[in-house]
Amino acid sequence: MNDALEPGRLAEEQAALRRVATLVAQGAPRRSLFTAVAEQVASVLDVRVVSIVCYAADGTAIEYASVSDRGEFFPVGTRWSLDGTNVVAQVRESCRPARIDDYSGLEGPIAEAVRSAGIRSTVGGPIVVAGDVWGVMVVSSTEPEPLPADTEARLTDFTELVATAIANADARAEVERLADEQAALRRVATLVAEVVPPSELFGAVAEEAGRLLRGVDVTVTLRFESDTAGTVVGEWGDPDPAGFLGDRLTLEGDGVAELVLRTGQPARIDDYSKAGGSTAALVRAKGVRTALGVPIIVEGRLWGAFILAARVAEPLPADTEARVERFTELVATAIANAETRAEVERLADEQAALRRVATLVAKGVPPSELFASVAEETGRLMRADGAVICRYEADGGASVVAGWGVPDVADVLGTRLTLDQGGVIAEVRRTGRPARSDDYAISAAGPAAVARSRGVQAGVAVPIVVEGRLWGAMFASSRQAGSLPPDVEPRIGEFTELVATAISNTQARTDLAASRARLVAASDEERQRVVRDLHDGAQQRLVLAVVKLKMARRALDEEEQASSGLVTEALQHAEQANVELRELAHGILPAVLTSGGLHAGVGALASRAPLPVENDVSVGRLPIPVEATAYFVVAEALTNVVKHSHATRAVVTARVEDGTLHVDVGDDGVGGARAGGSGLVGLGDRLAALDGRLHVESSADGGTLVAADIPLPPQAPRA
């Protein structure tokens, strides 16, 4: 009879398997499929209870499907602890079928539940999906006799079908997930290609990632502003966002954002109740229980973080970081593209501003107009709230000579700043290098207090150096602490160089005008001297000679004896007039210089000096303008030695090196000579006409050295 029943049992079992296989092939929903499988197993194996249990990542098990002839023994969704002895734990540990024929005396929550349900024996078969134990199918009997010995083998056919169904469902879910992810990425990529505003892009990415990733309630795009701060630039939430958009967060603690900022790597916190810091407290107040963050890397530098959070304690899936990275890469591309476009536009604007300033410099506009233009161009280009140009004064302070953007600019111009209480302008004067302050709230006095009273919170000062000398500083300010870009100093430096050029040109024009005026005045004085000397000297002698000759002619006509004396006297006057004319000519350019060169000319000056003068002139004949200029340098220097130095001796040296004549006049006097004296200033002007330079060294009790360098024309002698 058993043999007759066997074919019927096999046919029934095969029919049940076919019905299950049909459901699997049709892609029936997982829970309804598992319930149907449990019903078929209960019918075919003639058991009272069938359960399908899946293993959770936290080491527990979850009731996934349950059928019996007496209703629901174990509610679906029940989470089981695997402590104690039970077939669910045994199957997980061994990955093989397991059975328990008698639960009496066994410990553990599952054993207690089984005994409470009146179950005497159980058999469990593993459900293996892609090589991993997904769960277990458990059949139970309330009969005293154990389940048949072939139960494990017969159960295997059904667990394999369940595994196939799970694998198929997972594959379909993965395909759908990948399709959804690719669609979301395409939408984001389209926004990147369309160059939408950053705020729109960040918001779209936050929403796409939030809707795509299972278990996420809030997403945030955070831009790092410094080592301790970040600004929320994008946000999405279901049903509500966290409400941080636009907020500047202090990143001091051990939350997800802080971890990403410090490490530059993805980070997650599965229990935010353990996170410390002010930002973590804000996050907890928004109901966040778990979160993870992925860095946004733009061209090799850490730009910000993309953060996902959930309001339930369940950890986010393990592959979430990898999936989020695909979005952050698109965000990074968009940021890099935007920054490249912004950099090109910035460079174009900067070059245009520099050209406008350079044009004003070339036109030689008045300094006040140029300074005002530079302040405005700099302030607008650096996106500053204000810009001023300060000139350092001899008394240690500074004066504001131009301003833009600050309230009541007219009141600022001409303001005197005391620099003895610090500040970036004082720092520039002290070091000669750029200086900045990102938070004026920590400065209590001095120019910082003045700036703070006008709403300034941060500032950068860059030196203005004119011909190697610190002239002043350009100061750019912001009403928001820490907002000035890190590259603002070199960019402002390009404008300060133009300012320095303009100041140098203005000073050169001023010096040239003064030099020309002095040369004109000297020429006028020389002409007046010549006229005076002619009028008072040689002219009077010649007039007397003419008068005497006329008297001698009348005497000769009258044959008077006095005619001979008159002629003699007239001759004497004429000869004296000739001597005075020669002396006058020598005063303009001495004959000994024109005939004997610089060595002879210096020798003549030394011979007339009332103190010993060593003539160490070792040059031959030079071009006449060079010899004359060198001669007058020596003559003026020796005159000053005699008049002012109280020296006991002087030394004159002259040599030619590298195409330049070097003339030095030194003494051992009391020193204290000033390069600004009228005689030396005139020599400086005369040297400047030959591209030469005058240098005076004179310290108290250290003597005086007057040095002149005169370039020689290319065809002039070199030795």
Side-chain angles (χ1 to χ4, degrees):
M1 184 174 180
N2 289 336
D3 292 339
L5 291 175
E6 184 67 20
R9 183 180 67 79
L10 290 176
E12 181 183 353
E13 188 170 317
Q14 291 300 315
L17 288 171
R18 282 195 298 273
R19 288 192 291 273
V20 171
T22 300
L23 293 175
V24 171
Q26 291 176 346
R30 183 177 294 185
R31 288 193 180 276
S32 61
L33 171 65
F34 290 167
T35 300
V37 171
E39 290 173 349
Q40 294 294 325
V41 170
S43 175
V44 170
L45 299 185
D46 191 22
V47 293
R48 304 291 300 275
V49 180
V50 178
S51 294
I52 297 178
V53 179
C54 67
Y55 296 119
D58 60 358
T60 62
I62 301 173
E63 192 78 22
Y64 213 82
S66 178
V67 297
S68 74
D69 60 351
R70 294 190 306 175
E72 191 177 64
F73 268 71
F74 307 117
V76 172
T78 300
R79 185 177 291 271
W80 301 105
S81 170
L82 301 185
D83 295 336
T85 304
N86 55 82
V87 295
V88 177
Q90 290 175 346
V91 169
R92 177 162 189 170
E93 292 173 1
S94 66
C95 300
R96 290 181 297 183
R99 74 161 52 216
I100 294 177
D101 291 333
D102 185 2
Y103 269 88
S104 60
L106 299 182
E107 297 181 354
I110 293 181
E112 293 177 0
V114 168
R115 283 197 300 271
S116 299
I119 294 173
R120 303 291 298 274
S121 64
T122 59
V123 171
I127 301 173
V128 181
V129 179
D132 295 325
V133 179
W134 178 90
V136 59
M137 182 180 294
V138 181
V139 294
S140 304
S141 173
T142 58
E143 301 296 330
E145 298 81 8
L147 288 166
D150 64 348
T151 303
E152 287 90 338
R154 298 175 67 188
L155 194 60
T156 300
D157 293 334
F158 289 93
T159 58
E160 289 177 353
L161 283 175
V162 170
T164 300
I166 294 171
N168 291 347
D170 287 346
R172 287 192 297 273
E174 179 65 15
V175 170
E176 293 175 358
R177 183 182 70 80
L178 289 175
D180 292 342
E181 186 171 310
Q182 292 302 314
L185 290 170
R186 281 196 299 272
R187 289 191 291 271
V188 172
T190 300
L191 296 178
V192 172
E194 291 176 350
V195 195
V196 300
S199 58
E200 180 180 343
L201 174 67
F202 296 149
V205 171
E207 181 175 357
E208 292 284 2
R211 294 189 182 281
L212 182 68
L213 300 171
R214 179 173 57 85
V216 173
D217 297 313
V218 175
T219 58
V220 169
T221 305
L222 181 68
R223 177 175 184 173
F224 295 139
E225 302 292 351
S226 67
D227 292 340
T228 58
T231 300
V232 177
V233 296
E235 188 180 55
W236 172 87
D238 183 18
D240 299 313
F244 291 140
L245 185 61
D247 289 354
R248 184 179 175 88
L249 304 178
T250 300
L251 303 179
E252 296 176 346
D254 53 4
V256 164
E258 290 89 340
L259 293 175
V260 174
L261 178 58
R262 286 197 295 268
T263 66
Q265 300 293 325
R268 67 162 59 210
I269 295 177
D270 292 334
D271 185 358
Y272 240 90
S273 64
K274 300 178 181 178
S278 58
T279 302
L282 290 174
V283 170
R284 285 195 297 272
K286 300 294 184 179
V288 171
R289 302 288 299 279
T290 181
L292 66 81
V294 176
I296 300 173
I297 307 296
V298 178
E299 296 183 343
R301 61 182 172 84
L302 181 62
W303 182 90
F306 193 76
I307 299 172
L308 303 95
R311 295 189 174 100
V312 296
E314 184 78 17
L316 292 169
D319 65 343
T320 305
E321 289 91 338
R323 298 177 66 187
V324 172
E325 284 178 356
R326 301 186 183 99
F327 289 91
T328 60
E329 288 172 359
L330 286 174
V331 171
T333 299
I335 294 169
N337 292 345
E339 289 182 348
T340 299
R341 289 190 298 271
E343 179 67 12
V344 171
E345 293 175 359
R346 182 185 70 78
L347 289 175
D349 293 342
E350 190 167 311
Q351 292 302 312
L354 289 169
R355 283 195 299 271
R356 289 191 292 270
V357 172
T359 300
L360 296 178
V361 172
K363 288 180 178 179
V365 299
S368 59
E369 180 181 344
L370 174 69
F371 294 158
S373 176
V374 171
E376 180 175 357
E377 294 282 9
T378 302
R380 292 187 184 280
L381 192 64
M382 304 303 156
R383 303 187 186 281
D385 296 314
V388 297
I389 297 177
C390 299
R391 181 182 63 230
Y392 293 128
E393 305 295 352
D395 61 2
S399 297
V400 178
V401 298
W404 169 87
V406 290
D408 304 323
V409 173
D411 295 339
V412 175
L413 296 180
T415 299
R416 298 276 298 181
L417 302 177
T418 302
L419 304 182
D420 57 357
Q421 293 178 308
V424 293
I425 298 176
E427 182 71 9
V428 170
R429 176 153 198 167
R430 186 179 65 83
T431 65
R433 296 192 298 269
R436 72 160 53 212
S437 174
D438 291 327
D439 189 356
Y440 263 53
I442 62 177
S443 300
V450 175
R452 193 171 60 253
S453 67
R454 295 180 176 274
V456 173
Q457 294 296 317
V460 170
V462 178
I464 300 173
V465 179
V466 179
E467 297 181 351
R469 177 179 58 87
L470 183 62
W471 180 91
M474 170 83 74
F475 175 72
S477 62
S478 171
R479 294 189 179 94
Q480 184 176 355
S483 63
L484 290 171
D487 64 342
V488 72
E489 288 91 338
R491 295 171 61 193
I492 293 178
E494 297 184 13
F495 287 89
T496 60
E497 289 177 1
L498 287 174
V499 171
T501 299
I503 294 170
S504 180
N505 291 347
T506 301
Q507 186 62 47
R509 287 192 293 270
T510 302
D511 293 344
L512 179 60
S515 175
R516 288 172 175 172
R518 289 193 298 269
L519 290 174
V520 169
S523 298
D524 291 342
E525 290 177 1
E526 186 64 20
R527 282 194 296 271
Q528 291 173 2
R529 184 186 68 80
V530 172
V531 170
R532 184 174 62 254
D533 290 346
L534 286 172
H535 181 272
D536 296 341
Q539 184 178 0
Q540 294 294 329
R541 296 290 183 183
L542 291 174
V543 169
L544 288 174
V546 170
V547 171
K548 295 298 182 179
L549 287 173
K550 287 182 178 180
M551 292 173 63
R553 187 177 62 184
R554 286 197 299 271
L556 287 173
D557 290 342
E558 297 174 1
E559 296 182 355
E560 295 180 359
Q561 294 181 353
S563 61
S564 178
L566 292 172
V567 172
T568 299
E569 187 177 354
L571 179 60
Q572 291 175 347
H573 284 299
E575 289 175 346
Q576 187 62 35
N578 185 48
V579 171
E580 291 178 357
L581 285 173
R582 185 181 297 113
E583 290 179 352
L584 180 62
H586 288 173
I588 297 174
L589 196 62
V592 67
L593 178 66
T594 58
S595 61
L598 184 60
H599 187 277
V602 172
L605 291 172
S607 66
R608 294 197 294 270
L611 77 165
V613 177
E614 181 181 343
N615 183 357
D616 190 15
V617 176
S618 58
V619 297
R621 296 310 303 265
L622 299 169
I624 292 175
V626 175
E627 284 186 338
T629 300
Y631 174 84
F632 286 123
V633 168
V634 176
E636 179 66 26
L638 290 177
T639 299
N640 289 339
V641 170
V642 172
K643 288 183 177 181
H644 309 296
S645 72
H646 304 293
T648 61
R649 62 186 297 275
V651 178
V652 179
T653 62
R655 66 191 184 282
V656 174
E657 292 180 356
D658 299 328
T660 299
L661 173 63
H662 302 281
V663 179
D664 297 336
V665 180
D667 64 63
D668 61 354
V670 297
R674 294 183 300 105
S678 60
L680 294 178
V681 170
L683 289 179
D685 292 340
R686 181 155 190 158
L687 285 165
L690 298 179
D691 292 331
R693 294 184 302 170
L694 183 69
H695 178 64
V696 179
E697 295 181 4
S698 184
S699 58
D701 298 326
T704 299
L705 175 65
V706 176
D709 299 327
I710 309 173
L712 299 178
Q715 69 276 15
R718 297 295 175 180

